[in-house]
Amino acid sequence: MQTLTVRVQDSFMQEFLNFVESKKENIHIEKDENLAYDPYFYKRQRELQTVRDGIKSGKVETISAKDFWNEIDSFVDNLER
């Protein structure tokens, strides 16, 4: 079984649903709870996976939390001057 996302124009929705109904032995439709809460869930999930892969491969450099906050503090200090 494979899963995919289908975007259907409003004007074509009924025709699409009729087609699905005619093929219901081969097609299962269910609501995706992730999309109900966050319509960009899968896009953000892919982006996060890309970042994680980059970190694991060494293509993306990370810094420690301590260094991060030191840089933030320095930035704020410079803003206040």
Side-chain angles (χ1 to χ4, degrees), residues 9-48:
Q9 290 182 353
D10 291 342
S11 61
F12 183 69
M13 181 59 80
Q14 191 57 53
E15 191 174 338
F16 175 76
L17 292 175
N18 291 342
F19 170 77
V20 169
E21 178 65 23
S22 72
K23 305 293 183 184
K24 64 183 173 187
E25 67 278 356
N26 295 316
I27 300 174
H28 174 74
I29 294 182
E30 63 185 45
K31 267 195 154 176
D32 187 328
E33 294 297 321
N34 293 317
L35 296 177
Y37 295 112
D38 179 2
Y40 301 103
F41 176 83
Y42 291 104
K43 180 180 180 187
R44 291 184 313 99
Q45 184 182 50
R46 283 191 305 274
E47 290 170 354
L48 178 59

